[in-house]
Amino acid sequence: MPRLPRSLAVVALGCTSLFAGDYPFQPVPFNAVRITGGFWQQKQEVNRAVTVPFALQQCEESGRLKNFDLAAEVMRRRAAGETGFQIQPPTIYPFDDTDAYKAIEGAAYVLSLQRDPALEATLDAWIARIAAAQEPDGYLYTFRTMHPDSPGHKWVGAKRWEKDPDLSHELYNCGHLYEAGVAYFQATGKRTLLDVCLRNAELLWHDFGDGQRRIAPGHQIVEIGLVKLYRTTGDERWLKLAQIFLDARGPGGAPYSQQHKRVVDQDEAVGHAVRANYMYAGMADVAALTGDTRYLAAITKIWDNVVSKKLYLTGGAGALARGEAYGADYELPHDGYNETCAALALMNWNHRMFLLTGEAKYMDVLERTAFNGFLSGVSASGDRFFYPNPLVYDGQKKNNHDHAGRAPWFGCACCPPNLMRTLASLTGYFYAVKDESLYVNFYATSEGVVTVAGTQVKISQTTDYPWSGTIRFKLSLEKPLKFSLKLRLPGWSNDRPVPSDLYAYSARRPDHGWGLKLSSETVVPRQGGDGYLALVGEWQPGDTVELELPMRVHSVWGNEKIAATRGQVALERGPIVYCYEDLTDRQPVEAPAIPAAANVTPERQSSSLGGVTVLKVERAGAEPLTLIPYFAWNNRGLHPMHVWFPLQP
Ligand SMILES: [Zn+2]
């Protein structure tokens, strides 16, 4: 099938939008940037070569694709007049369809960066099986379709949608379907899955868009998915539906699923952390596209609550295993839950907050999560996963959904394919543009093509970040061009680990820590209040910039209101949080003390754990310790692990 040029395809689908606005800071799309070396190339390559095929295989072997086949079979047999039978799904949860959708989305991002006819053929076959499971009016939810006479699962209502505010996850399935359909269309130009999405969205418009029926989705994501459909097709009904689903919430519902108040009245992160973070990201989308400042005001308050009272040092969110939920203010126990999905949802929300405001603090939070509490979710090998990401482990507990240590898959398998799609599209966080300013938010060896001041600019980065703080930029231009290159100065480089008083470095320095070398004399640096170093002036073809961020080792203290961290210290260097993995398995399991006088030396080890910088800790009267990056724990077998250490034995 011939591929439509993307812009033509969108025009052909589109119609005039009633909504003129969008994010003031426009992201440079992930497929305009390629990671060409270093830390993230290694992670992305493992993701492409191991995690993607592994997740596809797991979806198939676990029966997640079989669910679509069985739903199609039931429809065929019913259409042929057969009655009095129904089929039980071979998997556990009514949201299992979404793992296939997320796997398609992640694989589509891989295809966007690198052609792979075999992978594309696999996805085409999957999409045909998914399309065959769609009911004639667009409904797509295998657990009901294969068991139509009575609910085959206690979460599924007798009628469509009626249990969605609770646990049926019907609209949740729709949301992930839309994200997959858009991703596959953008990767290949094929409309197959997008058309499935649009038939489904027409049904949603019929059932919810006429002002008749209002339900608050029990598990958010449909809002984000609908916004992506709107962006792809220009059909504003999908944006209106996203707003309808947000505005259907509260008051009086369950805080667990953020249905306790109207979204515009919410000011604190509560309930299930993945649902919450998806909802805040969806609100950011709608705020950007409709200009509704009430949404922005609400998510700004909620963000302040998270970052000043509910964020782990690793960038994890959602302290409580019970309800997979945010805890109370300052309730941050070391054995916190910190679901991998909640981490990447927090990244997506923070990215959108940046796109609304242009403030670096949001990307600081994103970076902290990306390098720590998100990346810990996958093994170095790419085929073992953490669902929760605690900051302490006793070496034995089956805390990872009945597994001790990272598991190959889960009955509830939301995290692995979610991680996979995030890693595959990571470059979407790197750059953004507003008018004559190019924002650099992520440091990684890469080549990008961006349009700034109406002109195409090639920007390359060369760096050993996060192990080294030296980042070299080269700008390839056709002719001289005036614009601002805005380099994010991470909070930690100015001795501010998080944009709040939740964590602080034990020692602060009066000087700023960064250094700069410019090849140009027509460009001058200016540090603004937005967290960026702006290099302003006329750039010449081939100009280079060298940014030096201070890679000091820092001792971190928790706010005294966090009970778990009192009298304790954690160590970090650059964006990396460190942990101690006790390979001796001594009992009882206690964190070793790291006194304030300990001597800590970073040491680059190219051969261990895929090449990391470890911290060597020398303590008077005690044996030395070697700390490794938190994300890399449980790659050397299963051992006790600690992020926080008492100052005294
Ligand atoms: Zn998950």
Side-chain angles (χ1 to χ4, degrees):
M1 169 181 166
R3 293 188 180 192
L4 282 174
R6 196 133 332 131
S7 55
L8 280 182
V10 173
V11 170
L13 281 164
C15 58
T16 313
S17 168
L18 293 177
F19 302 97
D22 203 339
Y23 283 110
F25 299 81
Q26 277 289 305
V28 172
F30 79 96
N31 57 0
V33 184
R34 268 160 212 277
I35 298 174
T36 50
F39 182 86
W40 288 110
Q41 187 194 42
Q42 192 187 28
K43 303 297 174 199
Q44 234 182 24
E45 180 55 20
V46 169
N47 190 53
R48 184 196 68 79
V50 179
T51 311
V52 168
F54 184 78
L56 294 177
Q57 183 193 344
Q58 290 289 340
C59 281
E60 190 74 84
E61 287 178 1
S62 64
R64 280 164 170 76
L65 267 290
K66 180 92 173 160
N67 284 338
F68 293 99
D69 300 340
L70 293 173
E73 181 191 328
V74 169
M75 281 195 290
R76 266 196 313 274
R77 289 168 61 184
R78 295 241 163 191
E82 211 180 322
T83 53
F85 77 97
Q86 40 198 7
I87 294 173
Q88 276 295 350
T91 67
I92 305 169
Y93 296 108
F95 53 72
D96 287 335
D97 295 355
T98 61
D99 296 327
Y101 301 151
K102 281 187 285 188
I104 291 173
E105 184 188 346
Y109 295 146
V110 167
L111 281 180
S112 293
L113 298 173
Q114 190 169 333
R115 273 194 63 94
D116 184 339
L119 178 61
E120 193 170 328
T122 300
L123 298 186
D124 285 339
W126 277 31
I127 289 165
R129 293 162 74 183
I130 290 166
Q134 186 168 36
E135 296 191 18
D137 68 355
Y139 188 74
L140 182 48
Y141 180 76
T142 62
F143 268 53
R144 181 188 304 287
T145 304
M146 75 178 91
H147 209 279
D149 295 334
S150 64
H153 191 285
K154 64 181 177 185
W155 290 358
V156 181
K159 292 184 187 145
R160 289 176 181 181
W161 317 123
E162 70 177 4
K163 283 200 173 180
D164 195 80
D166 189 15
L167 284 170
S168 78
H169 291 81
E170 284 155 286
L171 291 166
Y172 173 74
N173 286 15
C174 298
H176 278 305
L177 171 68
Y178 301 166
E179 289 202 88
V182 168
Y184 196 65
F185 171 65
Q186 289 177 341
T188 64
K190 293 178 185 171
R191 295 192 47 121
T192 41
L193 193 57
L194 183 63
D195 284 339
V196 172
C197 298
L198 292 173
R199 283 195 291 276
N200 185 261
E202 289 285 351
L203 175 70
L204 262 53
W205 183 255
H206 176 269
D207 286 358
F208 303 104
D210 59 0
Q212 296 295 315
R213 183 153 188 200
R214 290 291 174 266
I215 66 163
H219 195 318
Q220 298 88 329
I221 198 68
V222 72
E223 306 81 3
I224 289 173
L226 282 162
V227 166
K228 287 191 176 178
L229 273 193
Y230 163 66
R231 288 187 190 284
T232 307
T233 63
D235 187 335
E236 76 251 17
R237 289 180 299 164
W238 315 141
L239 175 58
K240 284 181 184 165
L241 267 177
Q243 195 161 10
I244 283 171
F245 285 131
L246 286 171
D247 290 343
R249 316 187 82 78
Y256 168 74
S257 43
Q258 298 79 38
Q259 295 163 345
H260 57 303
K261 289 181 182 175
R262 299 192 309 154
V263 292
V264 294
D265 295 332
Q266 297 192 24
D267 56 6
E268 183 187 1
V270 297
H272 191 273
V274 181
R275 292 164 207 242
N277 292 347
Y278 282 162
M279 184 176 87
Y280 310 145
M283 287 168 69
D285 279 347
V286 173
L289 290 162
T290 65
D292 191 329
T293 53
R294 298 171 310 152
Y295 287 107
L296 177 58
I299 52 178
T300 301
K301 282 184 202 161
I302 297 166
W303 184 88
D304 282 337
N305 174 250
V306 170
V307 168
S308 58
K309 298 184 174 80
K310 296 184 179 178
L311 184 71
Y312 275 90
L313 187 64
T314 53
L320 309 180
R322 190 164 45 85
E324 305 186 321
Y326 275 105
D329 289 349
Y330 302 107
E331 186 181 9
L332 296 163
H334 293 339
D335 63 351
Y337 193 66
N338 293 332
E339 181 176 345
T340 303
C341 291
L344 61 94
L346 185 71
M347 289 160 64
N348 288 335
W349 173 29
N350 273 279
H351 186 225
R352 286 162 165 83
M353 295 300 287
F354 159 75
L355 297 174
L356 283 166
T357 63
E359 291 184 47
K361 63 183 182 181
Y362 300 110
M363 297 307 297
D364 287 353
V365 175
L366 190 159
E367 177 183 64
R368 176 169 293 277
T369 306
F371 277 104
N372 302 290
F374 161 72
L375 195 55
S376 54
V378 63
S379 64
S381 60
D383 57 358
R384 294 292 181 274
F385 307 94
F386 275 135
Y387 191 122
N389 296 275
L391 279 67
V392 69
Y393 183 65
D394 68 1
Q396 297 175 12
K397 201 172 167 190
K398 290 189 174 179
N399 67 332
N400 187 26
H401 281 226
D402 290 330
H403 293 268
R406 289 191 187 83
W409 200 248
F410 305 98
C412 172
C414 49
C415 297
N418 228 348
L419 212 149
M420 173 182 130
R421 67 182 181 134
T422 306
L423 271 174
S425 59
L426 194 79
T427 45
Y429 300 132
F430 282 25
Y431 298 105
V433 173
K434 183 172 192 290
D435 305 326
E436 271 96 60
S437 293
L438 169 58
Y439 289 77
V440 184
N441 280 322
F442 224 89
Y443 298 123
T445 297
S446 57
E447 289 173 6
V449 179
V450 303
T451 300
V452 60
T455 307
Q456 205 174 71
V457 175
K458 282 187 192 163
I459 179 167
S460 69
Q461 298 187 35
T462 308
T463 182
D464 194 25
Y465 195 86
W467 314 123
S468 154
T470 307
I471 307 126
R472 292 188 187 86
F473 299 89
K474 188 174 176 202
L475 298 167
S476 303
L477 307 158
E478 297 280 307
K479 55 185 185 211
L481 183 68
K482 278 188 184 168
F483 68 95
S484 295
L485 184 67
K486 301 196 66 160
L487 306 176
R488 183 174 62 91
L489 294 173
W492 53 259
S493 71
N494 282 311
D495 289 348
R496 202 151 187 243
V498 289
S500 71
D501 65 357
L502 195 58
Y503 303 101
Y505 291 153
S506 61
R508 293 192 61 136
R509 290 166 183 77
D511 59 319
H512 72 68
W514 49 267
L516 187 71
K517 284 184 202 154
L518 281 172
S519 71
S520 166
E521 289 176 359
T522 54
V523 171
V524 291
R526 283 185 208 146
Q527 197 171 354
D530 57 0
Y532 290 89
L533 179 66
L535 307 178
V536 186
E538 187 172 73
W539 296 91
Q540 312 297 318
D543 267 349
T544 58
V545 177
E546 188 176 305
L547 176 67
E548 184 77 40
L549 294 171
M551 287 292 169
R552 301 168 180 139
V553 177
H554 289 282
S555 300
V556 189
W557 291 342
N559 187 301
E560 63 178 21
K561 290 176 184 155
I562 308 173
T565 61
R566 273 180 217 140
Q568 300 192 346
V569 67
L571 296 183
E572 60 180 45
R573 178 177 180 271
I576 300 290
V577 176
Y578 281 79
C579 72
Y580 174 62
E581 203 172 22
D582 188 349
L583 303 182
T584 68
D585 298 309
R586 83 196 78 204
Q587 295 287 333
V589 177
E590 283 173 3
I594 299 187
N599 187 24
V600 185
T601 316
E603 188 178 296
R604 185 84 163 93
Q605 293 189 344
S606 54
S607 59
S608 79
L609 296 165
V612 298
T613 293
V614 302
L615 299 183
K616 297 280 187 183
V617 181
E618 288 169 49
R619 308 171 297 165
E623 61 196 271
L625 303 172
T626 300
L627 271 54
I628 63 166
Y630 168 75
F631 73 78
W633 84 278
N634 187 219
N635 281 300
R636 301 177 296 179
L638 194 60
H639 307 286
M641 181 277 293
H642 308 273
V643 170
W644 289 93
F645 308 93
L647 284 158
Q648 287 158 0

